[in-house]
Each structure stands twice: as structure tokens, then as C-alpha cells.
């Protein structure tokens, strides 16, 4: 089993604070086997979980020959996303991790592996008492300088590691390129989370520094590692699919086999895949490569592989790596042992094609590896594109030639044996044409060379039994017209379909092809990754017109960056509700403004700041009575019953615990006040109009009483009530239990003497009832909402007519395009932190040194109100002219003096209207324990709403 070594570290190691993502990943590792990680990733689509648990990351090193007797050191192994690969390839693996919690999880993950030792601490300071053949730095080097651009810092770190190498040892370094093409296109910078920061040399600071190629070369030379070879993983080193090298650069058609991904697509202003051909043709690919993988040493022979294509996403049985070596040979191996059978089958398919007279590449098996000669001629797809662009090809002749090979590739069987007849009965069996006993479905231009005006096929690993020859031809034609749209000008696709008798079966083949792609690419298991690959070109193109605006303009409304962050949180809340409802078999619908946004904008209404969903009352009751652990630590399902220090209504809200959102009446209250989505029950509708009027009146009165009971002196009036009546409500509710009022309100909303067969409604909102046709909620339809599909009522159009207006597609006047809620919204700050920082500042203040940051009028206000009870030891101010002077008898000092008081012993208050700028200053100083002195809460509200 894996060994945990805590004795090597030379310097004392400080336990690192675990983030919520860390806690979640550790929980997954401790509670599941590695075989269950695929399902975990499918259910939890967050990037940190995918990054730490997915085997798709194996593509970075799966092609590299470490040698089965090698001794390897992995620096900063994290949770072991790559460690399992190294253990399968090397005799002995030593993994280091500074975080004890991560190291323990790493051992747990690989507890059944005997050749792994995990050491806690920094590899550069450890005395291993042994040398290593390989040292792996994956995303580690950039963080060694604390954001510094000084090359010496990184060179010195590599010099320390170099001492751990055997004479022929190598260091493999994976790093980001600041000038990577995806960052040129607007992808967020990995170290700061902001687009273009790396291009601008991190103007606001950074915890990590990405290098250009020339910077990396300079660092390697300073470190004495002057033997190096650059590789270029695409789309990046995190989830690579293709790996070029300085000895084998792309010639053209990079986008044909590449699927870029973006965890955050909002900042993209150009389409990366569309730019690669231009970058390649202009000879600047190496400068714009997204990532570098550098093999460096003190003179060792470089790896023989010059190019690799990896398909780890295809799973254990079909994941492969194809490598081109500098020895002029090509190898194809299985990434996992379960895939060796697939490699053998691929060779057998090539041999079978050759026996039938089909031009196919020579291939032999050496142990578990398929070996082929290196072919220098161009791919048939490359030839085809250039010929189309030059208008020097007859596409009918080209595909006729391909069709003849397809027909010769296998014996023909009877039409009744067609495998598609069992799945598809929409057309007559004669429409399918020739049926092949074995259909090699990869006999397409992308999988063939073009030599002497003919095809030479390779990589024929997928075979369908008793399948139409037309399906193979369909795949070739379909891919051609996708990747070479100019082909439409030479031969319209509809005419090509008709010529090859594919028009009647095209849709059937399309359906079968989607099944094939979903299965071979494991789209269900890897749905998170494929969601990241889906980009909205139209939205990207529109952004070029918005670059003169600070914020995005949508439908003539300025959507701030802060609003988009609020939306991101709300979308996560919807995903959580969707997951819980799916697991518990509960039905929900988007309604009200959210439904209107889906129909009119395919997402949020630009001026909307919340999400509304509804459930049938029976499902709603099941939802609100689920235990809180079902929703996870990051969320809280809030109701009037389970959070008594606030009241918004008799419906539910799902809150995000890692954000802040509240209306000013809830300032200082101890209830959960993170960003939320509203969850309403759909209740029965009484046919008796007089009963409904009495019911509505009673509901409103109980709302008013519950608000008075909850807020009392904090609110001077409520709704349309006059002051006298509001005071009376506050008085009488002293004698009534809050829960009694809640029970009465629940009973009133549910009461229905003569249920309508035609209508249902939402009655749990003050002064606002929504009535709908029951049949409109008889089923759901999925509508697009911010690049995802959300369930809506099947009769959503009539729902909008009843809840919004008949002309719901028309925009309101500009002056009415405003957010619904007026309060404080901070997406990045947990409410518990906000509460302690702004509202409950004087807790835990006993026996602490009080420091005030400021020396102006606000300090005078503090001293007047709290100076006797909580006197400050000294003041600090950024104006150096004030240092050494006294304000109200208290000395003013340099802000650096804050650091002279231990964090556990100080209580720091920012007493300044420019508190946000001071917060940034304190953060740069490493000070996070402070409070904001609130002289006037409206200032805070104004500052937050400015954003």
C-alpha cells in the first residue's frame, strides 16, 4: 500500500487552511473508490473536482516513456490526478505535497498501490537520501516566485531540484504561456481570474507568473539545464488532446481534431479554433501555444516522441495514444491495460483491409504496441481542403473513389440483416443500399493519407457489424462539409446526398452518428467537460462591439460585472435544486421573470436579479422537509420556520452560504442572508370568488403581523399600512407566538373549499397572486436559459400571458428596466464574514489591542460613541504628514505598524469613507482580520449599488 512519510521535511510545515473545494474533494476520496470518481464528476460538475479527480488529465504524460525501472519524483501532487499514471509506468514514485490533509487524501486514494511514497513538505528542502530519474513539475514552477517576474527566483528553485537528479535524469515542467492563443481570445488568466492580465504583465499583482517561451529558455539556462526540448500540449497542459513539439509543428487543420474548452466563457472575444490555421501559416505557433511541456536535463538524450495524439476521454477500453517518433516510426498504445485488446483489434482490422485489396498502412504488433511507418505525405482531408479552396477537384469523383473502397472493404450481406432495421423503420430497407458484414466507419478523409491520387487508410479501430456502406460514406461527407464549408460552392450538399442516394436516410445516419459520438467520447460521463467546450459564437462576435463599454450592454441595458457574478451564483443554486429534484423525483418549473427571460432572452432578463421556480404543493412539501445535508455545506434551504430572525414570505429560498445578499431591513440580523432563488408552491384555486377575497385579505393581514413580529422597532412602517395601524400590529404581536402566526398563514394559503379543476395558483406572496391554467403544468418543456436547459410549464406561453401580459415579448420602457430588489449584494463574500465585519464588530474584542485605520471625522464619531468603552491604542493613516501627530489625544502611525501587533491580539477598524481602497491595501499587506466602522449604513448601500 502507499506510504505516508512525515519525517523528511527539513523545515516545520504549517498546516494550510482547507477551502470548501478541498473539503469536498477529500470527502469524495475518503468515501469512494476510484471506480466511482466518474459518477462523482458526472454529478458534481465543478472545475476543482474535475481537475483533481478526472483521468482525462493523464493525456499530458501517457505517451512519455519513463522506463519501467525508473524512480520518479512528483512535486506538488495535489490529490493525485496524475499520480496513478506515474505509478503504472515507473518502478518507484515519490509524491510531495505541502498540505498534510492533501497528502493524507493522496495516500487514501492510492492505498492499494505499493510503489508510491507520499512525503509532506516542500521537495526543494527535503533530504531524500536518493536520486531520481525524473522530476515532474506540473503547474508548480509558476507559483515559486510569489508572482515575481524575476527569472532568477525560478532558476534557483530548479537548481535545488537539479541536485536530486541522477546524471541522466530529466525534469519535466508543464507551465502556462502568458501569450497563449486562448488568452489572446479573452480566456481568464489562471492566476488572477481576469482576462488579459498575463498579457499586461499582471498590473494588479498575481500569486503566480506564467512565462513566454523565451522567458522559460532564459530560466532554464540560468538553472544550468541547457539541454531542453519544448512540447506544446493543446488545448493546454491540463486536459491535452494533441501534443506537438519543436521538432514536429502543425502544418494545417489543427481545429479538425482539437476541442478547446473554457470553464468560464463570459470573457471570450474571439474563437480560438478559428485562428489556428492563420497562426500556423504565419509561423508563430510556438509563440502562441497555450501551454509548454519542457523536458530538460544536464545533457541526457531527449525523448524520441515528437508528436502525440491522446484520447483519454474515451475511457479505459478505448483510450489510446498515438505517437510519432524521431526514428521515423509511429506507435499506438492503450492508455489503460483494459485497452490492449482494442489495439490488437485495430491491427487485425488493418490486416483484414489489406487482404481485401484496400490500401492501408503497414502495421505490426510489438508487445502491446501497434507500430507503423511514418508517412510524410499529407492527409486526405488536408489535400481535400486545399483542392476545394483552389477549385481543382470534382467532389463527386472524389467521393465515388472513396465509396468504391468502402464497398470493397467487406463482404456484403442481405438487406434483411441490416442492423439498422432493428432500430429504424422509417424508410424502406432498399433505401439503405449495400449492407457490409463489417463496416469500417472511420474510412473517412481524416483517417487516410493521400498518396499517388489515392487513399491510404490508418486507425480503423471502429467496426460495425451488418451496417450500410452508405453510413460510412455519410460520415465522410458530413465531416467534409463541416470542416470545409467552402465545399458547398463546388457541389451543394443536397445534390451530393441525392447523387449517392443518401437523402432518404441522412437523418437516420445523423442520429446513429450522434449515438456513436456520445458513446465513444463518453459524453454522459464527461458532460462537464463537453459543457465547457460549447461556445456561443454569436455572443462572442457581439462582444467586439462592446469593448468601449466598461460593462456589457444587453438589450440597451448595462449589465455590470457584479450582476453577472450574482447570476453565476444563482445558476449554481438552480443546478443544486435541479440535482436534488432529480434525485428525489420532484417536479419543478421556472416561472415569472425567469420564464420570461428564458422565452424572450434565452437567459436572464438583463435587469432581473433573481430566479423564481415553482413546485406542485405535494413536491414542495417534500422538498422543504428534506434534511439540510441533502443540499450540502454550501447551501441552505430557508423557510419561515427554520430561520426565525427574518421574514420575507411563506415560501422557500435556497441560499448560497458563500455570498451576501439582503435588504436593508435585515441589516445585522443573524439569519442566513446569502444570494438566493425563490421557490414557490403551486396550490389549489377555490372557485368561490367571495371566499378568495376573504382568503387574500387574511393572507395579507397575516403577512403584516409576521413582519411586525419579526422586525418591530427596526421598521417604522410596512407596505400601505398607516403608521397608527402599523404600531398597533407591533403591539399586539407581543402576545402572539411567531410560529402560531406561521401556522395560521400556511393554513390560510392551503385552504380551499371548492377546488377548481381548471386553475391553480401561487398565493404565498404579499399582495401578489398568480393564477394559471392547471393543464399548462401537466408536463414540462425544456427551454434554453444561459446555455443550459431548464424545465418550464408545457403551456408556458399562456402562463406568461396570465402572469406578465399578453404582449410579454415587448420590452418595458427604459425607466422601468431596473432590478427588483434594493439591498446589498456581494457575490464573493460569505454573509457570516460580512455580518462580523460590518455589523457585529465589537464581539470578541475583550483584551485586544484596538486600532483605527483613519484620522478624520469618522474617527471622531467612533470616539464619541465608543471611545470610553473601546478605546483605541493608536491610529494609522496613509497620509505620512500625520505620522507622529495626535488625533483627539491618540497617536497616528504608519499603517505598517498594524503588523507589529499579532493578528490574534488586535482588533482593527477601518474608519474611513474610502474603506474599499483600504481593504485592498490591507489584503496586499496580508491583513484579513478587520472590521468596517459603519457610521451610516446608507453609505455602504450606495457603495455597493455603484457597482
Amino acid at each position: 500500500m502507499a506510504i505516508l512519510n512525515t519525517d523528511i521535511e527539513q523545515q516545520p510545515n504549517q498546516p494550510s487552511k482547507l477551502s470548501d473545494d478541498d473539503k469536498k474533494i477529500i470527502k469524495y476520496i475518503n468515501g469512494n473508490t476510484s471506480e466511482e470518481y466518474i459518477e462523482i464528476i458526472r454529478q458534481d460538475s465543478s472545475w476543482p473536482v474535475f481537475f483533481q479527480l478526472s483521468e482525462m488529465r493523464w493525456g499530458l504524460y501517457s505517451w512519455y516513456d519513463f522506463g519501467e525501472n525508473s524512480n520518479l519524483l512528483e512535486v506538488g501532487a495535489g490529490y493525485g490526478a496524475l499520480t496513478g499514471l506515474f505509478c503504472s509506468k515507473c518502478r518507484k514514485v515519490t509524491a510531495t505535497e505541502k498540505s498534510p490533509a492533501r497528502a493524507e487524501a493522496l495516500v487514501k486514494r492510492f492505498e492499494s498501490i505499493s510503489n508510491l511514497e507520499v512525503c509532506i513538505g516542500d521537495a526543494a528542502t527535503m533530504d531524500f537520501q536518493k536520486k531520481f530519474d525524473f522530476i515532474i513539475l506540473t503547474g508548480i514552477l509558476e507559483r515559486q516566485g510569489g508572482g515575481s517576474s524575476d527569472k532568477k527566483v525560478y532558476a534557483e528553485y530548479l537548481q535545488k531540484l537539479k541536485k536530486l537528479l541522477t546524471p541522466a535524469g530529466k525534469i519535466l515542467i508543464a507551465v502556462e504561456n502568458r501569450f497563449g492563443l486562448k488568452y489572446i481570445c479573452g480566456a481568464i488568466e489562471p492566476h488572477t481570474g481576469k482576462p488579459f492580465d498575463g498579457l499586461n504583465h499582471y498590473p494588479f499583482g498575481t500569486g503566480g507568473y506564467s512565462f513566454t517561451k523565451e522567458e522559460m529558455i532564459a530560466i532554464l539556462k540560468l538553472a544550468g539545464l541547457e539541454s531542453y526540448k519544448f512540447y506544446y500540449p493543446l488545448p493546454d497542459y491540463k486536459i491535452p488532446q494533441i501534443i506537438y513539439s519543436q521538432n514536429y509543428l502543425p502544418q494545417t487543420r489543427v481545429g479538425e481534431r482539437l476541442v478547446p474548452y473554457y470553464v468560464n466563457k463570459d470573457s471570450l472575444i474571439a474563437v480560438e479554433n478559428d485562428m489556428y490555421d492563420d497562426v500556423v501559416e504565419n509561423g508563430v505557433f510556438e509563440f502562441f501555444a497555450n501551454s509548454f511541456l519542457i523536458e530538460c536535463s544536464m545533457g541526457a538524450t531527449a525523448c524520441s516522441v515528437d508528436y502525440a495524439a491522446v484520447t483519454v476521454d474515451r475511457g479505459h477500453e478505448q483510450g489510446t495514444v498515438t505517437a510519432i517518433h524521431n526514428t521515423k516510426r509511429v506507435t499506438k498504445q492503450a492508455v489503460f491495460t483494459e485497452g490492449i485488446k482494442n489495439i490488437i483489434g485495430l491491427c487485425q482490422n488493418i490486416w483484414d483491409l489489406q487482404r481485401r485489396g484496400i490500401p492501408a498502412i503497414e502495421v505490426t504488433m510489438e508487445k502491446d504496441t501497434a507500430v507503423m511507418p511514418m508517412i510524410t505525405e499529407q492527409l486526405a482531408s488536408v489535400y481535400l481542403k486545399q483542392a476545394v479552396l483552389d477549385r481543382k477537384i470534382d467532389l463527386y469523383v472524389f467521393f465515388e473513389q472513396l465509396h468504391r473502397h468502402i464497398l470493397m472493404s467487406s463482404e456484403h450481406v442481405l438487406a434483411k440483416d441490416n442492423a439498422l432495421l432493428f432500430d429504424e423503420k422509417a424508410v424502406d430497407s432498399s433505401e439503405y443500399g449495400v449492407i457490409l458484414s463489417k463496416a469500417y466507419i472511420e474510412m473517412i478523409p481524416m483517417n487516410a493519407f493521400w498518396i499517388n491520387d489515392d487513399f491510404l487508410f490508418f486507425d480503423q479501430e471502429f467496426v460495425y457489424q451488418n451496417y450500410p456502406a452508405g453510413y460510412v460514406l455519410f460520415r465522410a461527407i458530413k465531416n467534409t462539409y463541416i470542416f470545409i464549408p467552402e465545399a458547398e460552392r463546388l457541389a451543394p450538399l443536397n445534390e451530393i446526398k441525392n447523387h449517392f442516394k443518401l437523402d432518404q436516410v441522412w437523418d437516420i445516419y445523423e442520429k446513429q452518428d450522434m449515438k456513436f459520438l456520445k458513446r465513444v467520447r463518453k459524453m454522459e460521463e464527461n458532460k462537464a467537460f463537453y459543457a465547457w467546450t460549447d461556445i456561443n459564437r454569436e455572443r462572442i462576435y457581439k462582444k467586439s462591439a462592446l469593448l468601449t463599454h466598461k460593462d456589457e450592454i444587453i438589450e440597451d441595458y448595462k449589465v455590470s460585472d457584479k450582476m453577472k457574478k450574482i447570476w453565476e451564483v444563482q445558476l449554481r443554486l438552480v443546478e443544486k435544486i435541479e440535482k436534488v429534484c432529480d434525485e428525489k423525483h420532484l417536479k419543478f418549473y421556472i416561472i415569472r421573470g425567469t420564464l420570461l427571460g428564458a422565452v424572450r432572452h434565452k437567459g436572464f432578463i438583463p435587469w432581473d436579479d433573481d430566479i423564481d421556480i415553482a413546485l406542485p404543493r405535494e413536491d414542495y412539501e417534500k422538498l422543504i422537509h428534506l434534511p439540510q445535508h441533502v443540499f450540502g455545506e454550501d447551501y441552505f434551504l430557508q423557510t419561515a420556520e427554520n430561520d426565525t430572525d427574518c421574514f420575507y414570505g411563506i415560501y422557500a429560498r435556497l441560499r448560497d452560504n458563500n455570498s451576501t445578499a439582503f435588504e436593508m431591513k435585515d441589516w445585522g440580523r443573524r439569519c442566513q442572508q446569502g444570494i438566493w432563488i425563490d421557490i414557490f408552491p403551486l396550490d389549489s384555486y377555490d372557485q368561490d370568488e367571495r371566499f378568495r377575497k376573504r382568503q387574500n385579505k387574511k393572507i395579507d393581514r397575516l403577512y403584516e403581523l409576521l413582519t411586525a413580529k419579526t422586525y418591530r422597532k427596526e421598521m417604522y412602517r410596512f407596505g400601505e399600512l398607516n403608521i397608527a395601524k402599523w404600531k398597533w400590529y407591533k403591539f399586539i404581536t407581543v402576545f402572539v407566538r411567531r410560529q402560531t402566526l406561521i401556522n395560521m398563514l400556511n393554513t390560510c394559503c392551503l385552504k380551499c373549499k371548492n377546488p377548481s379543476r381548471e386553475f391553480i395558483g401561487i398565493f404565498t406572496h404579499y399582495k401578489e397572486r398568480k393564477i394559471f391554467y392547471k393543464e399548462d403544468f401537466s408536463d414540462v418543456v425544456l427551454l434554453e436559459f444561459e446555455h443550459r436547459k431548464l424545465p418550464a410549464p408545457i403551456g408556458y406561453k399562456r402562463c406568461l400571458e396570465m402572469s406578465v401580459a399578453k404582449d410579454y415579448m415587448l420590452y418595458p420602457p427604459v425607466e422601468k428596466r431596473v432590478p427588483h430588489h434594493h439591498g446589498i449584494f456581494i457575490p464573493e463574500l460569505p454573509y457570516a464574514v460580512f455580518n462580523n465585519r460590518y455589523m457585529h464588530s465589537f464581539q470578541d474584542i475583550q483584551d485586544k489591542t484596538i486600532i483605527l485605520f483613519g484620522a478624520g471625522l469618522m474617527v471622531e464619531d467612533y470616539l464619541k460613541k465608543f471611545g470610553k468603552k473601546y478605546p483605541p491604542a493608536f491610529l494609522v493613516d496613509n497620509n505620512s504628514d500625520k505620522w507622529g501627530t495626535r488625533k483627539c489625544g491618540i497617536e497616528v502611525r504608519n499603517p505598517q505598524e498594524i503588523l507589529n501587533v499579532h493578528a490574534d491580539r488586535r482588533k482593527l477598524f477601518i474608519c474611513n469613507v474610502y474603506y474599499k481602497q483600504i481593504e485592498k491595501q490591507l489584503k496586499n499587506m496580508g491583513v484579513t482580520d478587520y472590521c468596517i466602522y459603519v457610521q451610516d449604513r446608507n453609505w455602504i448601500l450606495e457603495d455597493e449599488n455603484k457597482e
Side-chain angles (χ1 to χ4, degrees):
M1 62 180 292
I3 299 171
L4 180 63
N5 188 331
T6 60
D7 299 329
I8 295 181
E9 173 64 7
Q10 298 278 302
Q11 300 175 359
N13 188 60
Q14 295 295 325
S16 57
K17 184 178 180 180
L18 294 178
S19 67
D20 290 337
D21 287 324
D22 282 311
K23 293 174 184 176
K24 182 165 57 174
I25 293 166
I26 290 171
K27 183 178 179 181
Y28 287 149
I29 291 174
N30 289 336
N32 300 273
T33 63
S34 58
E35 290 77 15
E36 295 171 309
Y37 291 168
I38 292 176
E39 181 60 23
I40 289 171
I41 294 169
R42 194 178 73 84
Q43 295 292 335
D44 186 337
S45 58
S46 67
W47 170 251
V49 170
F50 185 92
F51 184 74
Q52 295 293 351
L53 299 183
S54 174
E55 288 178 337
M56 283 179 66
R57 291 187 59 201
W58 280 28
L60 182 60
Y61 298 108
S62 58
W63 52 274
Y64 194 89
D65 184 12
F66 292 99
E68 58 186 17
N69 291 318
S70 63
N71 192 6
L72 180 145
L73 172 64
E74 182 186 10
V75 179
Y79 291 105
L82 296 167
T83 309
L85 170 69
F86 299 138
C87 291
S88 69
K89 284 177 164 283
C90 305
R91 178 178 59 83
K92 177 70 176 179
V93 174
T94 303
T96 68
E97 177 52 52
K98 291 182 179 180
S99 164
R102 285 192 176 200
E104 290 167 6
L106 187 58
V107 171
K108 172 65 178 175
R109 180 173 182 172
F110 298 109
E111 58 186 353
S112 62
I113 291 181
S114 59
N115 64 333
L116 172 63
E117 179 183 9
V118 179
C119 301
I120 301 176
D122 185 350
T125 64
M126 290 181 176
D127 183 10
F128 291 100
Q129 298 293 312
K130 58 184 173 183
K131 301 289 186 179
F132 298 95
D133 301 301
F134 295 95
I135 297 176
I136 308 294
L137 297 173
T138 308
I140 298 297
L141 185 63
E142 306 103 306
R143 302 199 299 271
Q144 298 310 309
S148 171
S149 60
D150 185 359
K151 302 177 185 64
K152 292 181 180 179
V153 177
Y154 307 98
E156 289 170 358
Y157 180 76
L158 290 177
Q159 286 171 341
K160 293 176 183 177
L161 295 180
K162 187 175 69 171
K163 296 175 182 178
L164 301 175
L165 285 176
T166 60
K170 301 175 183 178
I171 300 178
L172 295 177
I173 306 170
V175 294
E176 303 277 7
N177 175 13
R178 283 192 294 110
F179 284 90
L181 192 58
K182 70 176 180 180
Y183 302 124
I184 300 290
C185 292
I188 61 171
E189 216 285 332
H191 302 304
T192 68
K194 298 177 182 178
F196 308 116
D197 258 12
L199 307 183
N200 293 318
H201 291 267
Y202 307 101
F204 304 106
T206 172
Y209 190 96
S210 294
F211 313 103
T212 65
K213 181 178 179 181
E214 289 304 314
E215 286 173 331
M216 272 307 310
I217 291 174
I219 290 169
L220 295 176
K221 289 181 177 179
L222 283 173
L225 295 165
E226 299 200 16
S227 294
Y228 52 81
K229 181 177 181 179
F230 272 76
Y231 290 91
Y232 309 103
L234 291 180
D236 58 22
Y237 78 75
K238 296 181 179 73
I239 312 178
Q241 301 153 21
I242 308 170
I243 299 171
Y244 291 99
S245 76
Q246 62 189 46
N247 298 335
Y248 191 100
L249 297 173
Q251 300 302 310
T252 185
R253 307 303 301 277
V254 174
E256 199 171 78
R257 294 180 181 270
L258 182 65
V259 186
Y261 71 98
Y262 312 92
V263 178
N264 186 329
K265 314 180 186 91
D266 292 341
S267 57
L268 294 178
I269 59 170
V271 180
E272 177 184 347
N273 235 9
D274 292 351
M275 299 175 67
Y276 274 110
D277 281 355
D278 291 329
V279 166
V280 169
E281 288 172 11
N282 285 278
V284 289
F285 172 78
E286 292 178 280
F287 180 81
F288 287 115
N290 289 330
S291 297
F292 305 127
L293 175 63
I294 309 136
E295 177 196 57
C296 51
S297 67
M298 295 172 287
T301 302
C303 175
S304 68
V305 175
D306 284 339
Y307 166 88
V310 293
T311 58
V312 185
D313 59 313
R314 295 184 179 183
H316 281 220
E317 293 183 356
Q318 292 180 322
T320 61
V321 51
T322 303
I324 296 177
H325 298 254
N326 57 20
T327 54
K328 307 301 180 185
R329 70 173 195 161
V330 178
T331 59
K332 196 176 188 77
Q333 295 175 294
V335 177
F336 308 95
T337 55
E338 299 95 318
I340 295 174
K341 181 179 178 181
N342 182 53
I343 298 297
I344 297 171
L346 180 147
C347 293
Q348 188 63 56
N349 292 338
I350 292 292
W351 296 332
D352 288 347
L353 287 172
Q354 289 173 339
R355 280 193 287 269
R356 296 193 64 84
I358 303 297
I361 197 166
E362 294 295 329
V363 59
T364 59
M365 281 293 293
E366 296 181 8
K367 293 185 178 180
D368 299 329
T369 302
V371 180
M372 296 155 278
M374 179 178 174
I375 305 297
T376 58
E377 280 80 357
Q378 62 187 344
L379 291 174
S381 58
V382 175
Y383 158 77
L384 180 58
K385 179 172 183 178
Q386 192 57 52
V388 167
L389 294 177
D390 294 341
R391 294 178 175 266
K392 293 181 179 179
I393 189 171
D394 186 327
L395 287 174
Y396 295 93
V397 173
F398 180 85
F399 288 122
E400 286 282 11
Q401 186 173 348
L402 177 62
H403 194 206
R404 286 193 294 272
H405 286 311
I406 294 170
L407 293 174
M408 291 173 54
S409 64
S410 170
E411 295 179 358
H412 300 181
V413 299
L414 298 175
K416 68 179 181 63
D417 296 324
N418 179 4
L420 275 181
L421 293 179
F422 297 98
D423 293 331
E424 305 287 350
K425 302 183 185 298
V427 299
D428 187 270
S429 60
S430 62
E431 296 285 353
Y432 290 101
V434 173
I435 309 302
L436 301 175
S437 172
K438 295 171 69 176
Y440 299 89
I441 66 171
E442 293 285 81
M443 290 182 69
I444 59 178
M446 285 176 62
N447 282 45
F449 295 103
W450 189 253
I451 303 176
N452 298 326
D453 294 328
D454 201 358
F455 297 89
L456 179 69
F457 295 100
F458 62 89
D459 272 7
Q460 300 299 310
E461 58 183 300
F462 297 105
V463 179
Y464 278 7
Q465 304 295 324
N466 298 339
Y467 237 67
Y471 174 66
V472 184
L473 183 62
F474 151 82
R475 296 194 76 240
I477 294 172
K478 172 190 169 182
N479 282 320
T480 297
Y481 279 78
I482 287 175
F483 292 108
I484 315 175
E486 297 85 357
E488 183 72 26
R489 295 179 303 186
L490 289 185
L493 179 57
N494 285 334
E495 294 181 13
I496 288 283
K497 291 180 185 179
N498 182 263
H499 178 82
F500 289 101
K501 296 181 172 57
L502 294 172
D503 43 359
Q504 296 298 314
V505 291
W506 188 272
D507 290 343
I508 294 173
Y509 290 161
E510 186 76 70
K511 181 179 177 182
Q512 294 301 316
D513 204 39
M514 286 305 300
K515 288 182 180 179
F516 166 73
L517 292 174
K518 285 182 179 180
R519 184 175 66 255
V520 75
R521 292 181 178 176
K522 306 290 183 184
M523 285 187 171
E524 181 59 29
E525 294 91 330
N526 299 319
K527 68 176 184 178
F529 172 76
Y530 285 108
W532 297 327
T533 67
D534 184 23
I535 62 171
N536 186 324
R537 285 176 173 267
E538 183 179 353
R539 190 169 184 178
I540 290 173
Y541 298 151
K542 282 183 178 179
K543 286 211 173 94
S544 62
L546 301 174
L547 292 178
T548 56
H549 295 279
K550 179 180 178 182
D551 301 304
E552 186 172 1
I553 307 298
I554 302 177
E555 311 299 356
D556 297 323
Y557 181 83
K558 184 174 73 172
V559 179
S560 68
D561 181 61
K562 182 175 182 177
M563 178 67 86
K564 288 192 282 187
K565 290 177 180 178
I566 293 171
W567 288 350
E568 287 177 12
V569 177
Q570 291 172 337
L571 289 172
R572 290 200 298 270
L573 290 164
V574 170
E575 289 173 0
K576 173 55 68 173
I577 280 289
E578 191 172 23
K579 180 180 178 181
V580 170
C581 287
D582 183 54
E583 290 174 350
K584 304 301 180 182
H585 307 293
L586 306 178
K587 184 182 289 187
F588 80 92
Y589 315 85
I590 54 173
I591 57 167
R592 300 174 58 169
T594 309
L595 178 59
L596 176 60
V599 174
R600 195 168 68 189
H601 306 273
K602 297 189 183 301
F604 285 100
I605 298 173
W607 47 91
D608 197 7
D609 56 6
D610 67 354
I611 286 180
D612 301 316
I613 68 171
L615 290 80
R617 171 60 78 166
E618 182 181 356
D619 286 355
Y620 174 85
E621 291 293 333
K622 292 177 181 177
L623 179 72
I624 65 173
H625 287 99
L626 291 173
Q628 284 290 342
H629 70 78
V630 171
F631 299 94
E633 296 178 357
D634 295 332
Y635 307 99
F636 177 69
L637 187 68
Q638 184 183 52
T639 63
E641 291 90 340
N642 68 11
D643 211 352
T644 60
D645 205 29
C646 64
F647 180 72
Y648 53 85
I650 201 69
Y651 51 94
R653 281 178 170 173
L654 186 65
R655 298 267 192 177
D656 174 74
N657 295 336
N658 298 310
S659 60
T660 293
F662 62 89
E663 296 175 272
M664 295 309 287
K665 64 184 175 69
D666 289 316
W667 179 280
R669 292 191 162 261
R670 294 289 189 178
C671 48
Q672 214 302 330
Q673 298 288 8
I675 290 173
W676 73 84
I677 61 173
D678 288 330
I679 306 170
F680 298 96
L682 290 163
D683 288 321
S684 298
Y685 178 82
D686 199 292
Q687 299 180 84
D688 188 332
E689 186 176 352
R690 292 176 60 190
F691 173 84
R692 291 200 311 273
K693 286 183 178 179
R694 292 195 301 270
Q695 181 188 36
N696 290 342
K697 188 175 181 179
K698 188 174 182 180
I699 288 172
D700 290 341
R701 187 182 308 119
L702 287 166
Y703 253 92
E704 293 159 356
L705 288 168
L706 268 164
T707 304
K709 177 71 175 178
T710 304
Y711 295 100
R712 301 191 59 73
K713 294 180 180 180
E714 284 93 337
M715 292 182 65
Y716 299 103
R717 61 178 303 162
F718 174 73
E720 299 175 359
L721 295 177
N722 60 50
I723 294 176
K725 195 170 186 179
W726 180 237
K727 287 182 177 179
W728 171 245
Y729 278 8
K730 290 196 287 188
F731 172 72
I732 63 174
T733 53
V734 173
F735 308 102
V736 186
R737 291 177 61 248
R738 186 175 187 276
Q739 187 59 48
T740 300
L741 292 172
I742 291 173
N743 292 340
M744 292 172 65
L745 182 51
N746 269 320
T747 301
C748 189
C749 291
L750 284 165
K751 193 171 184 180
C752 187
K753 292 183 177 180
N754 301 294
S756 169
R757 294 182 179 180
E758 190 176 6
F759 297 105
I760 56 175
I762 296 175
F763 309 116
T764 52
H765 207 286
Y766 180 67
K767 295 273 185 191
E768 188 180 339
R769 319 288 182 248
K770 298 296 181 184
I771 311 302
F772 306 101
Y773 283 94
K774 186 182 292 186
E775 68 176 336
D776 289 343
F777 289 81
S778 61
D779 202 354
V780 301
V781 60
L782 296 177
L783 298 181
E784 183 178 344
F785 191 92
E786 299 296 336
H787 314 302
R788 66 206 70 206
K789 300 288 187 178
L790 293 180
I794 189 71
Y796 64 86
K797 294 181 180 179
R798 187 161 61 175
C799 287
L800 288 172
E801 289 176 353
M802 298 185 72
S803 63
V804 180
K806 289 283 186 181
D807 55 354
Y808 59 82
M809 292 299 288
L810 297 179
Y811 293 170
V814 173
E815 64 271 13
K816 292 188 177 181
R817 299 179 193 179
V818 293
H820 298 163
H821 300 95
H822 189 62
I824 289 178
F825 291 77
I826 309 178
E828 309 92 344
L829 187 68
Y831 178 72
V833 176
F834 182 93
N835 216 349
N836 292 334
R837 186 171 290 174
Y838 287 79
M839 307 176 194
H840 301 286
S841 308
F842 294 103
Q843 63 183 7
D844 303 326
I845 200 171
Q846 298 299 326
D847 301 323
K848 290 190 177 180
T849 300
I850 299 174
I851 307 170
L852 305 186
F853 200 129
L857 295 176
M858 197 179 294
V859 168
E860 294 179 14
D861 186 78
Y862 173 95
L863 294 173
K864 181 179 178 180
K865 294 176 181 177
F866 304 103
K868 290 184 179 180
K869 190 173 182 180
Y870 304 117
F874 58 90
L875 314 178
V876 299
D877 196 272
N878 284 324
N879 186 346
S880 59
D881 292 338
K882 295 183 180 182
W883 298 348
T885 67
R886 304 184 80 82
K887 173 75 173 180
C888 300
I890 304 170
E891 184 183 4
V892 182
R893 301 179 183 177
N894 185 329
Q896 291 296 320
E897 294 283 334
I898 296 171
L899 302 177
N900 293 335
V901 182
H902 194 277
D904 294 336
R905 304 300 309 153
R906 71 186 175 222
K907 190 73 174 183
L908 173 63
F909 290 88
I910 299 177
C911 292
N912 197 297
V913 292
Y914 300 107
Y915 65 94
K916 282 191 172 293
Q917 292 90 326
I918 293 173
E919 282 188 287
K920 293 179 181 178
Q921 177 183 347
L922 291 174
K923 183 178 180 181
N924 290 334
M925 293 170 61
V927 177
T928 58
D929 54 315
Y930 58 86
C931 297
I932 310 293
Y933 177 64
V934 181
Q935 182 178 355
D936 186 338
R937 67 179 67 173
N938 287 322
W939 292 353
I940 310 296
L941 178 64
E942 289 172 10
D943 278 350
E944 292 301 329
N945 286 328
K946 283 178 185 176
E947 299 179 28

